[in-house]
Amino acid sequence: MVCVRFRRDVAIVGVGMTRFGELWERSFDDLFVEAGLEALEDAGMGGDEIEAMYVGNMSAGRFIDQEHVASLIADRSGLTPIPCTRVEAACASGGLAVRQAILAVASGMYDIVLAGGVEKMTDVTTEEATATLATAADQEWEAFHGVTFPALYAMIARRHMYEYGTTREHLALPPVKNHRNATKNPKAQFQFEITVEQVIESPLVADPLRLLDCSPVSDGAAAVIVCPLEMAKEFTDTPIVVRATAQASDSIALHDREDITTLKATVEAAKTVYKQAGVEPEEVDVAEVHDCFSIAELVAVEDLGFVEKGEAGEAYHEGMFEIDSDYVAVNPSGGLKAKGHPVGASGVAQVVEIVEQLRGEAGKRQVDGAEIGLTHNVGGSGGTVVVHIFERAD
Ligand code: COA
């Protein structure tokens, strides 16, 4: 038994994603269908084999004036009357959609399920996008007072700098690494390198965070196909096993937390997946973590146990999270920062990257000998966190 809590073992047998970026010429449903078709083709199956779908989406109602997106997606995919369910947990919507698909297959309810995520954010102004993203914060105590997501993560950064001596240069290191990685990812939004100096001198967004500390506003979609491990070889020679999945919650508002330099939901979800999978943090070869802002990646590698609390800045300085490091490679795809962050799709795209890495199909950004991979998807400032662990099944 691969995962102690599942009634049967589960594998990913197909993955697909669109390019991420400002995709003016593409519609919301068009993006989802492209990612879904690529996943079907990857698994060598037809759409008629899909029994159910889960769609991660944060805010189509505000970004494109479209609610009831589950019905829209089933319709435009030509897959009615199968059940299709929208899953919303802010920026963790995609990770949660994958988790719902895993649980549905693990329970025995369905055999073949497609989990996708989609967001089309660039049809509105940056001001409107910022206000929409802020709906994931506490309206009464945070957003009402003008607090935005860059501002919430800026507070986390300030406190981390105060508590642990993290410097402005330390903050710049995850974005510099992630932009470098994204030059090797043809689907990334920003395929150019940046320097520490450019990050530090880029326009101020919410002190101390600057433009190049932030993930962008993006359009895009991603999809994965989940089935029982015992069926997986019918579709692929390289099934990727789901070793563990966990979800945790925390207060929606930052001020209700004892310590804002850590996301307790990440710590809790990580504890659960490591225990379920029987894996130690240092055994993870490759991880896609939620780097919506530079400080988020520093906090994530600490909360996931890759380094001790407060030591992330120096670990980045030593290159511990590069693609060719002997330790864990973090965000080889370019992460949310440089690959792009269409919020409902990001958690699914993380799984797509880990599957490609574990299959050895990640091209120029391949992490040598990757066997165990982890994804970490955060909703809001940590009110929801979803973590999965995957392994190649040989
Ligand atoms: N990183 C790098 N470059 C970026 C960028 C980013 N995050 N955001 C925009 N740019 C670039 C654009 O490509 C554009 O380049 P060009 O002039 O060469 O075409 C330029 O900067 C201006 O783009 P624009 O869209 O006008 O920027 P903006 O000032 O309106 O928006 C941010 C910048 C940082 C405010 C916006 O990207 C943002 O809100 N990011 C955070 C998103 C977020 O909160 N997500 C949820 C996390 S929980």
Side-chain angles (χ1 to χ4, degrees), residues 21-234:
E22 280 190 33
L23 308 176
W24 299 101
E25 72 287 6
R26 308 295 306 280
S27 70
F28 176 88
D29 38 313
D30 205 16
L31 290 169
F32 189 94
V33 169
E34 179 185 324
L37 282 174
E38 196 176 295
L40 286 170
E41 194 180 335
D42 185 42
M45 66 171 71
D48 54 345
E49 298 196 57
I50 303 293
E51 294 167 46
M53 285 203 289
Y54 292 91
V55 181
N57 174 254
M58 176 182 164
S59 203
R62 288 183 59 133
F63 285 126
I64 58 160
D65 294 328
Q66 176 71 61
E67 298 290 11
H68 204 185
V69 299
S71 164
L72 178 84
I73 293 295
D75 178 11
R76 297 292 202 273
S77 305
L79 291 181
T80 55
I82 67 163
C84 183
T85 308
R86 175 183 180 172
V87 178
E88 189 277 305
C91 304
S93 301
L96 204 50
V98 175
R99 179 172 154 82
Q100 296 313 307
I102 293 168
L103 298 181
V105 172
S107 72
M109 174 71 84
Y110 303 112
D111 283 336
I112 301 181
V113 177
L114 187 146
V118 56
E119 208 79 54
K120 185 147 177 58
M121 303 168 73
T122 68
D123 287 354
V124 298
T125 63
T126 303
E127 291 72 20
E128 288 166 326
T130 302
T132 296
L133 292 165
T135 61
D138 188 316
Q139 289 305 297
E140 206 172 346
W141 295 101
E142 294 180 328
F144 176 80
H145 299 281
V147 176
T148 61
F149 266 96
L152 287 168
Y153 278 89
M155 287 189 246
I156 295 174
R158 273 272 166 250
R159 191 70 199 176
H160 204 277
M161 292 164 107
Y162 175 81
E163 293 278 351
Y164 300 110
T166 300
T167 64
R168 189 39 273 198
E169 286 73 16
H170 287 147
L171 289 177
L173 295 174
V176 168
K177 167 184 65 65
N178 292 343
H179 269 257
R180 187 164 49 243
N181 292 351
T183 62
K184 300 174 178 135
N185 185 350
K187 290 187 172 172
Q189 183 161 355
F190 297 134
Q191 297 175 38
F192 56 86
E193 294 204 35
I194 55 172
T195 63
V196 169
E197 293 68 35
Q198 282 173 314
V199 178
I200 293 174
E201 286 164 17
S202 61
L204 195 59
V205 175
D207 193 26
L209 300 181
R210 293 177 175 266
L211 177 76
L212 293 176
D213 289 293
C214 304
S215 58
V217 171
S218 317
D219 305 327
V224 301
I225 296 172
V226 180
C227 81
L229 179 58
E230 64 200 15
M231 289 175 66
K233 288 273 180 179
E234 289 174 32

Side-chain angles (χ1 to χ4, degrees), residues 343-355:
V343 287
S346 294
V348 185
Q350 292 178 324
V351 179
V352 172
E353 176 69 14
I354 292 299
V355 167

Side-chain angles (χ1 to χ4, degrees), residues 354-365:
I354 292 299
V355 167
E356 290 181 348
Q357 288 285 347
L358 299 180
R359 286 174 174 174
E361 293 176 356
K364 290 183 183 161
R365 59 184 194 283

